Amino acid sequence: MGVRKKQMAERIKAEKKKVAFAKLNNCPTSPRKMRLVADLIRGVKVEQALAILRFNPKEASRKLEKLLLSALANWQAKNEEASVEDADLIVAEIRVDSGAMLKRLRPAPQGRAHRIRKRSNHVTLVLGSKNITEN
């Protein structure tokens, strides 16, 4: 391996160590409902985001709180020597994409049927340091 290639690989590895992510796939909630809660914590410090999610009455906030704790545990696994309080972590990115849709039929008047779409979503949450996201 060449010197430049090795230096580039080392730099990419060091940058990846500062970022941690967690994914939640096939969550049986409408993406629109999940985005309402996800917008509350985008770009917020982790401690404040946990407080927001803990006291939010929506059901989607419980799932996002669990996902945020998972991303935090992933960050701690990567950075065993560093502490969470000193790292100044923020929710750098949170994406809510639509997942698979279950299609059901509901009886309607006069022998007709209406289609019911039971939506699901995929959530990707990325934690990063404040100084990384400003660059």
Side-chain angles (χ1 to χ4, degrees), residues 13 42 45 53 62-63 70-72 78 80-81 83 88 90 94 98 101 111 114-115 121 123 131:
K13 188 176 179 183
R42 186 175 286 118
K45 288 186 178 182
L53 293 174
R62 308 287 171 256
K63 295 178 181 179
S70 174
L72 200 57
K78 280 184 176 181
E80 290 146 354
E81 68 279 350
S83 69
D88 200 29
I90 64 167
I94 183 165
S98 63
M101 204 180 310
H114 291 160
R115 181 170 282 174
N121 63 50
V123 184
N131 53 15

Side-chain angles (χ1 to χ4, degrees), residues 82-113:
S83 69
V84 178
E85 293 82 22
D86 298 337
D88 200 29
L89 292 175
I90 64 167
V91 179
E93 181 181 339
I94 183 165
R95 278 194 319 272
V96 181
D97 304 319
S98 63
M101 204 180 310
L102 298 175
K103 292 177 176 137
R104 301 289 181 256
L105 292 177
R106 163 128 331 143
Q110 299 180 354
R112 294 190 187 100

Side-chain angles (χ1 to χ4, degrees), residues 115-134:
R115 181 170 282 174
I116 303 294
R117 293 185 301 271
K118 297 192 174 196
R119 300 173 188 270
S120 67
N121 63 50
H122 306 308
V123 184
T124 306
L125 192 141
V126 179
L127 294 182
S129 300
K130 195 160 193 140
N131 53 15
I132 293 292
T133 56
E134 289 174 357

Side-chain angles (χ1 to χ4, degrees), residues 1-10:
M1 183 184 296
V3 176
R4 282 189 317 172
K5 194 172 185 181
K6 189 171 186 177
Q7 288 172 347
M8 185 68 163
E10 295 281 331

Side-chain angles (χ1 to χ4, degrees), residues 11 17-18 25 27 52 62 79 89 121 125:
R11 190 169 51 108
K17 198 166 190 175
K18 296 174 185 169
N25 285 332
C27 179
I52 290 169
R62 308 287 171 256
N79 305 293
L89 292 175
N121 63 50
L125 192 141

